[in-house]
Amino acid sequence: MTMQPQLSEQRAERLAERLAERASMALIDEARLTPKPGLVDGRGSGAHQDLTLTLMELSARSLQPTFHALALHSWQRPADIALRQLVGQLGREGEAQMMAATNGVNTHRGAIWALGLLVSAVAMLDGDATAEAVCRTAAALASLPDDRAPRSFSKGLRATQRYRVPGAREEAQQAFPHIRQLALPQLRRSRAAGATEEQARLDALMAIMTSLSDTCVLSRSGLNGLEAMQQGAQRVLDHGGCSTLPGRQALAQLDAKMLSMNASPGGAADLLAATLFLDGICLLTH
Ligand SMILES: CC(C)(COP(=O)(O)OP(=O)(O)OC[C@H]1O[C@@H](n2cnc3c(N)ncnc32)[C@H](O)[C@@H]1O)[C@@H](O)C(=O)NCCC(=O)NCCS
Ligand SMILES: Nc1ncnc2c1ncn2[C@@H]1O[C@H](COP(=O)(O)OP(=O)(O)OP(=O)(O)O)[C@@H](O)[C@H]1O
C-alpha cells in the first residue's frame, strides 16, 4: 500500500522531466530552423533588433523548469478553475524568469502561453493522448477565466482589438486550429513526399503563415504586412514547398519582403514550436 503513492509520484516526475526537455528542445529547434522569413534563425536576427539566436536558446533553456512545474502540477488533473489559476501563475512566473534570463527582452512570451498549455494538457491526460485530444484539453483550460491575471494591456491585445482579429488567446481557446488543421498535416505531407526534415518544418511554418492573424506582424507592419505574409507563404506552397527550387526562391522573396516591412511572424514561430512538440510527443505515445 505504501509503495503506490511513491510509484505514481515517480511516474509523474519522469513524465514532467520528459515533457520539459521536449518543450525546451522544440523552442530550440524552431529558433535554429533556417531560413525563416523575418525571424531569428541560423543566419541572424531577422527583423528583430534585440533578439539573437544565442538569446533565443538561452531563453528556451531558462523555461525548462517552468514546463517541468506545469507538467508536475497538471498531472492527471481535470480542467477546472483551480488548475487554470495555478497554470496562469506558473506561466507568469515563467515569463518573469525568461525576462530575468534575457535582461528584459521578450523572447518567448507567446511560446510560453501555447507550449505551457500544451505541456499541461499532456500531463492532465497522463502522457498518453493524440495531438487532437491534447489540443482540446489545452483549449478547455485556456477557456476558463483566470481571475488572478493582472489587467495589463499588451501590443498583441491592442492589435486584436484594432483589427478585430483573433490572437494568441483565441488560437488556444479554439484548440489550436493552425496546428491541427494546417501545420501537423503539412509537416507529415511534406515528409511523405520526400522533403528533408528541415524542408518539411519550413513547409509547416508556411502553412501556419498562410492564414494566421499574427499580432506580432500586425503590431509591427499593419494589415499590409499581414497580407504580404499570408500571400507570400501561400506562394511558397503553391510552388511545391521548400523542397523545390521555385519554392525556395519564393521563400527568399518572402524573406526580403518581410525584412523590408520590418515584419516578423513571431506568433507563427511559436505555433511551429508547439507543432514540433506535439509531433514528438504523439510519436512517442501513438
Ligand atoms: C495570452 C498571452 C499570450 C498574453 O496575451 P497578449 O495579447 O497580452 O499577448 P502579447 O502581445 O504579449 O503576445 C502575444 C504573442 O503571441 C504570439 N501570437 C501572435 N499572434 C498569434 C496568434 N494569432 N496565434 C497564436 N499566437 C500568436 C506572438 O508571439 C506574440 O508575441 C499570455 O502571455 C498570457 O496571458 N499569459 C498569462 C499567463 C497564463 O495564463 N499562462 C497560462 C499558460 S502557461
Ligand atoms: N525565431 C523567432 N524569431 C523571432 N521571434 C520569435 C521567434 N520564435 C518565437 N518568436 C516570438 O516572437 C515574439 C517577439 O516578437 P516582438 O519582438 O514583436 O515582441 P515584442 O517584444 O512585444 O515587440 P518589440 O520587440 O517590437 O518591442 C516573442 O514573444 C516570441 O514568442
Side-chain angles (χ1 to χ4, degrees):
M1 282 301 279
T2 48
M3 280 303 284
Q4 194 60 27
Q6 229 174 359
L7 273 181
S8 83
E9 252 173 56
Q10 281 172 10
R11 219 154 62 82
E13 176 59 39
R14 268 204 308 276
L15 177 67
E17 225 159 87
R18 203 182 71 190
L19 293 181
E21 159 71 27
R22 292 209 164 233
S24 289
M25 207 54 226
L27 289 176
I28 292 174
D29 285 346
E30 177 277 308
R32 288 182 181 168
L33 183 67
T34 306
K36 297 190 301 289
L39 291 159
V40 175
D41 66 12
R43 299 168 303 168
S45 300
H48 294 268
Q49 310 295 325
D50 51 358
L51 301 179
T52 62
L53 183 55
T54 309
L55 192 67
M56 299 302 286
E57 293 187 5
L58 182 83
S59 167
R61 294 210 171 85
S62 83
L63 290 173
Q64 203 163 321
T66 294
F67 295 132
H68 186 273
L70 282 165
L72 209 54
H73 287 285
S74 304
W75 194 55
Q76 290 187 333
R77 283 182 63 167
D80 58 18
I81 298 274
L83 183 59
R84 174 67 188 92
Q85 286 183 350
L86 182 56
V87 161
Q89 184 197 322
L90 291 170
R92 285 188 292 276
E93 284 169 13
E95 280 186 21
Q97 268 161 30
M98 168 195 80
M99 288 296 194
T102 62
N103 275 318
V105 178
N106 167 26
T107 39
H108 282 124
R109 182 175 293 133
I112 299 173
W113 167 250
L115 270 172
L117 287 166
L118 292 170
V119 164
S120 278
V122 179
M124 288 162 73
L125 297 170
D126 199 7
D128 186 30
T130 60
E132 179 82 23
V134 172
C135 288
R136 299 263 169 227
T137 302
L141 205 53
S143 302
L144 290 167
D146 177 7
D147 295 337
R148 296 192 194 152
R151 307 236 164 269
S152 52
F153 208 68
S154 66
K155 274 197 285 189
L157 202 55
R158 194 173 306 133
T160 58
Q161 293 179 357
R162 178 163 171 208
Y163 299 104
R164 296 176 195 281
V165 292
R169 278 187 190 80
E170 291 74 22
E171 176 71 13
Q173 288 168 351
Q174 292 164 15
F176 297 101
H178 286 85
I179 299 179
R180 285 182 299 112
Q181 293 165 13
L182 293 170
L184 272 176
Q186 183 68 57
L187 185 66
R188 290 167 181 169
R189 255 198 321 274
S190 292
R191 280 178 187 151
T196 64
E197 183 59 23
E198 195 151 77
Q199 292 163 346
R201 289 176 178 188
L202 287 169
D203 286 349
L205 177 65
M206 293 305 119
I208 297 170
M209 288 166 60
T210 59
S211 106
L212 194 73
S213 49
D214 194 318
T215 58
C216 223
V217 173
L218 282 170
S219 319
R220 286 166 156 260
S221 55
L223 278 177
N224 284 344
L226 192 71
E227 215 173 87
M229 172 189 93
Q230 294 185 345
Q231 290 176 356
Q234 189 60 58
R235 209 169 303 127
V236 175
L237 293 178
D238 288 346
H239 280 87
C242 298
S243 59
T244 70
L245 184 59
R248 285 196 294 275
Q249 284 167 341
L251 177 62
Q253 276 170 14
L254 174 60
D255 187 32
K257 177 90 183 160
M258 298 215 42
L259 289 179
S260 76
M261 299 179 93
N262 189 37
S264 170
D270 298 335
L271 293 176
L272 176 67
T275 301
L276 299 179
F277 169 73
L278 282 179
D279 179 59
I281 291 300
C282 297
L283 267 185
L284 287 176
T285 54
H286 281 266

mmCIF file of all heavy atoms in Angstrom, residues 2 33 55 79 88 103-104 114 132 149 151 157 159 162 164 176 179 202 212 216 242 246 265 282:
data_model
loop_
_atom_site.group_PDB
_atom_site.id
_atom_site.type_symbol
_atom_site.label_atom_id
_atom_site.label_comp_id
_atom_site.label_asym_id
_atom_site.label_seq_id
_atom_site.Cartn_x
_atom_site.Cartn_y
_atom_site.Cartn_z
ATOM 1 N N THR A 2 1.951 1.239 0.811
ATOM 2 C CA THR A 2 2.766 2.460 0.901
ATOM 3 C C THR A 2 3.567 2.713 -0.371
ATOM 4 O O THR A 2 3.972 3.819 -0.618
ATOM 5 C CB THR A 2 3.748 2.380 2.091
ATOM 6 O OG1 THR A 2 4.392 1.123 2.037
ATOM 7 C CG2 THR A 2 3.034 2.579 3.408
ATOM 8 N N LEU A 33 15.940 26.577 -36.935
ATOM 9 C CA LEU A 33 15.468 26.275 -38.295
ATOM 10 C C LEU A 33 15.749 27.466 -39.223
ATOM 11 O O LEU A 33 15.407 28.601 -38.902
ATOM 12 C CB LEU A 33 13.960 25.968 -38.259
ATOM 13 C CG LEU A 33 13.320 25.565 -39.589
ATOM 14 C CD1 LEU A 33 13.860 24.217 -40.055
ATOM 15 C CD2 LEU A 33 11.801 25.507 -39.451
ATOM 16 N N LEU A 55 20.466 34.265 -27.678
ATOM 17 C CA LEU A 55 19.495 34.697 -26.670
ATOM 18 C C LEU A 55 18.246 33.807 -26.694
ATOM 19 O O LEU A 55 17.712 33.435 -25.638
ATOM 20 C CB LEU A 55 19.097 36.160 -26.932
ATOM 21 C CG LEU A 55 18.325 36.855 -25.818
ATOM 22 C CD1 LEU A 55 19.223 37.044 -24.589
ATOM 23 C CD2 LEU A 55 17.778 38.204 -26.284
ATOM 24 N N ALA A 79 -9.645 19.854 -16.050
ATOM 25 C CA ALA A 79 -9.605 21.290 -16.360
ATOM 26 C C ALA A 79 -10.622 21.995 -15.483
ATOM 27 O O ALA A 79 -11.821 21.908 -15.728
ATOM 28 C CB ALA A 79 -9.929 21.506 -17.838
ATOM 29 N N GLY A 88 -1.866 29.649 -14.742
ATOM 30 C CA GLY A 88 -1.648 31.073 -15.024
ATOM 31 C C GLY A 88 -0.512 31.636 -14.181
ATOM 32 O O GLY A 88 0.360 32.352 -14.682
ATOM 33 N N ASN A 103 17.626 39.645 -19.688
ATOM 34 C CA ASN A 103 17.785 41.065 -19.340
ATOM 35 C C ASN A 103 16.652 41.922 -19.865
ATOM 36 O O ASN A 103 16.863 43.016 -20.397
ATOM 37 C CB ASN A 103 19.111 41.613 -19.873
ATOM 38 C CG ASN A 103 20.236 41.331 -18.905
ATOM 39 O OD1 ASN A 103 20.047 41.475 -17.687
ATOM 40 N ND2 ASN A 103 21.371 40.909 -19.427
ATOM 41 N N GLY A 104 15.440 41.399 -19.769
ATOM 42 C CA GLY A 104 14.267 42.216 -20.087
ATOM 43 C C GLY A 104 13.797 42.168 -21.530
ATOM 44 O O GLY A 104 12.923 42.936 -21.911
ATOM 45 N N ALA A 114 1.383 29.123 -25.441
ATOM 46 C CA ALA A 114 0.953 27.964 -26.235
ATOM 47 C C ALA A 114 1.566 26.659 -25.700
ATOM 48 O O ALA A 114 0.843 25.695 -25.408
ATOM 49 C CB ALA A 114 1.332 28.168 -27.703
ATOM 50 N N GLU A 132 -4.820 15.757 -31.222
ATOM 51 C CA GLU A 132 -6.178 16.299 -31.201
ATOM 52 C C GLU A 132 -6.694 16.422 -29.752
ATOM 53 O O GLU A 132 -7.181 17.475 -29.339
ATOM 54 C CB GLU A 132 -7.078 15.342 -32.017
ATOM 55 C CG GLU A 132 -8.527 15.706 -32.106
ATOM 56 C CD GLU A 132 -8.809 16.760 -33.181
ATOM 57 O OE1 GLU A 132 -7.995 16.878 -34.125
ATOM 58 O OE2 GLU A 132 -9.829 17.460 -33.043
ATOM 59 N N ALA A 149 -5.292 37.038 -13.071
ATOM 60 C CA ALA A 149 -4.436 37.637 -14.097
ATOM 61 C C ALA A 149 -4.494 39.155 -14.004
ATOM 62 O O ALA A 149 -5.581 39.725 -13.878
ATOM 63 C CB ALA A 149 -4.894 37.183 -15.478
ATOM 64 N N ARG A 151 -4.700 42.949 -15.155
ATOM 65 C CA ARG A 151 -5.361 43.533 -16.333
ATOM 66 C C ARG A 151 -4.377 44.436 -17.085
ATOM 67 O O ARG A 151 -4.519 45.638 -17.130
ATOM 68 C CB ARG A 151 -6.584 44.345 -15.926
ATOM 69 C CG ARG A 151 -7.558 43.616 -15.057
ATOM 70 C CD ARG A 151 -8.970 43.598 -15.633
ATOM 71 N NE ARG A 151 -9.783 42.577 -14.958
ATOM 72 C CZ ARG A 151 -9.907 41.320 -15.373
ATOM 73 N NH1 ARG A 151 -9.285 40.919 -16.457
ATOM 74 N NH2 ARG A 151 -10.652 40.457 -14.709
ATOM 75 N N LEU A 157 -2.818 42.450 -27.637
ATOM 76 C CA LEU A 157 -4.231 42.706 -27.331
ATOM 77 C C LEU A 157 -4.729 43.915 -28.133
ATOM 78 O O LEU A 157 -5.819 43.905 -28.706
ATOM 79 C CB LEU A 157 -4.374 42.962 -25.826
ATOM 80 C CG LEU A 157 -5.743 42.737 -25.216
ATOM 81 C CD1 LEU A 157 -6.229 41.330 -25.538
ATOM 82 C CD2 LEU A 157 -5.682 42.937 -23.702
ATOM 83 N N ALA A 159 -3.630 44.952 -30.977
ATOM 84 C CA ALA A 159 -3.765 44.569 -32.396
ATOM 85 C C ALA A 159 -5.056 43.778 -32.628
ATOM 86 O O ALA A 159 -5.758 44.003 -33.615
ATOM 87 C CB ALA A 159 -2.553 43.751 -32.845
ATOM 88 N N ARG A 162 -7.861 46.438 -32.517
ATOM 89 C CA ARG A 162 -7.802 47.404 -33.615
ATOM 90 C C ARG A 162 -8.213 46.761 -34.939
ATOM 91 O O ARG A 162 -8.938 47.350 -35.732
ATOM 92 C CB ARG A 162 -6.386 47.963 -33.701
ATOM 93 C CG ARG A 162 -6.184 48.933 -34.808
ATOM 94 C CD ARG A 162 -4.940 49.780 -34.648
ATOM 95 N NE ARG A 162 -4.727 50.531 -35.866
ATOM 96 C CZ ARG A 162 -3.556 50.929 -36.302
ATOM 97 N NH1 ARG A 162 -2.472 50.665 -35.603
ATOM 98 N NH2 ARG A 162 -3.450 51.611 -37.420
ATOM 99 N N ARG A 164 -9.692 43.722 -35.195
ATOM 100 C CA ARG A 164 -10.792 42.751 -34.963
ATOM 101 C C ARG A 164 -10.433 41.361 -35.478
ATOM 102 O O ARG A 164 -11.145 40.776 -36.311
ATOM 103 C CB ARG A 164 -12.084 43.226 -35.641
ATOM 104 C CG ARG A 164 -12.596 44.516 -35.053
ATOM 105 C CD ARG A 164 -13.812 45.012 -35.808
ATOM 106 N NE ARG A 164 -14.088 46.385 -35.472
ATOM 107 C CZ ARG A 164 -14.707 46.777 -34.365
ATOM 108 N NH1 ARG A 164 -15.135 45.890 -33.505
ATOM 109 N NH2 ARG A 164 -14.916 48.056 -34.133
ATOM 110 N N PHE A 176 -6.219 25.383 -31.032
ATOM 111 C CA PHE A 176 -5.069 25.484 -31.949
ATOM 112 C C PHE A 176 -5.370 24.975 -33.359
ATOM 113 O O PHE A 176 -4.710 24.052 -33.852
ATOM 114 C CB PHE A 176 -3.863 24.737 -31.363
ATOM 115 C CG PHE A 176 -3.376 25.311 -30.061
ATOM 116 C CD1 PHE A 176 -3.705 24.712 -28.847
ATOM 117 C CD2 PHE A 176 -2.584 26.453 -30.044
ATOM 118 C CE1 PHE A 176 -3.258 25.247 -27.632
ATOM 119 C CE2 PHE A 176 -2.144 26.992 -28.834
ATOM 120 C CZ PHE A 176 -2.470 26.385 -27.640
ATOM 121 N N ILE A 179 -2.419 24.555 -35.748
ATOM 122 C CA ILE A 179 -1.569 23.378 -35.549
ATOM 123 C C ILE A 179 -2.269 22.133 -36.092
ATOM 124 O O ILE A 179 -1.693 21.364 -36.865
ATOM 125 C CB ILE A 179 -1.258 23.172 -34.050
ATOM 126 C CG1 ILE A 179 -0.503 24.381 -33.490
ATOM 127 C CG2 ILE A 179 -0.470 21.876 -33.845
ATOM 128 C CD1 ILE A 179 -0.176 24.276 -32.004
ATOM 129 N N LEU A 202 9.930 23.840 -42.499
ATOM 130 C CA LEU A 202 9.703 25.151 -43.121
ATOM 131 C C LEU A 202 8.331 25.166 -43.805
ATOM 132 O O LEU A 202 7.603 26.163 -43.734
ATOM 133 C CB LEU A 202 10.819 25.464 -44.128
ATOM 134 C CG LEU A 202 12.173 25.832 -43.509
ATOM 135 C CD1 LEU A 202 13.268 25.857 -44.579
ATOM 136 C CD2 LEU A 202 12.106 27.181 -42.789
ATOM 137 N N LEU A 212 -2.673 32.687 -40.400
ATOM 138 C CA LEU A 212 -2.680 33.232 -39.033
ATOM 139 C C LEU A 212 -2.826 34.756 -39.046
ATOM 140 O O LEU A 212 -2.225 35.427 -39.866
ATOM 141 C CB LEU A 212 -1.363 32.863 -38.327
ATOM 142 C CG LEU A 212 -1.348 33.070 -36.815
ATOM 143 C CD1 LEU A 212 -2.187 32.006 -36.106
ATOM 144 C CD2 LEU A 212 0.084 33.059 -36.264
ATOM 145 N N CYS A 216 2.003 39.838 -33.894
ATOM 146 C CA CYS A 216 3.384 40.325 -33.965
ATOM 147 C C CYS A 216 3.561 41.120 -35.271
ATOM 148 O O CYS A 216 4.094 42.228 -35.275
ATOM 149 C CB CYS A 216 4.298 39.103 -33.990
ATOM 150 S SG CYS A 216 5.715 39.211 -32.968
ATOM 151 N N CYS A 242 9.290 23.959 -49.850
ATOM 152 C CA CYS A 242 10.713 24.274 -49.713
ATOM 153 C C CYS A 242 11.635 23.185 -50.249
ATOM 154 O O CYS A 242 12.850 23.377 -50.290
ATOM 155 C CB CYS A 242 11.027 24.566 -48.251
ATOM 156 S SG CYS A 242 10.114 26.007 -47.680
ATOM 157 N N PRO A 246 11.759 26.420 -57.136
ATOM 158 C CA PRO A 246 10.838 27.566 -57.176
ATOM 159 C C PRO A 246 10.270 27.904 -55.787
ATOM 160 O O PRO A 246 10.084 29.075 -55.453
ATOM 161 C CB PRO A 246 9.712 27.097 -58.112
ATOM 162 C CG PRO A 246 10.266 25.945 -58.867
ATOM 163 C CD PRO A 246 11.342 25.331 -58.039
ATOM 164 N N PRO A 265 6.983 37.135 -38.174
ATOM 165 C CA PRO A 265 5.847 36.307 -37.746
ATOM 166 C C PRO A 265 6.131 35.533 -36.454
ATOM 167 O O PRO A 265 6.221 34.307 -36.461
ATOM 168 C CB PRO A 265 5.645 35.366 -38.942
ATOM 169 C CG PRO A 265 6.993 35.234 -39.568
ATOM 170 C CD PRO A 265 7.724 36.526 -39.302
ATOM 171 N N CYS A 282 3.460 12.843 -29.682
ATOM 172 C CA CYS A 282 2.468 11.887 -30.158
ATOM 173 C C CYS A 282 3.118 10.736 -30.908
ATOM 174 O O CYS A 282 2.548 9.666 -30.989
ATOM 175 C CB CYS A 282 1.374 12.603 -30.944
ATOM 176 S SG CYS A 282 0.509 13.754 -29.846
#
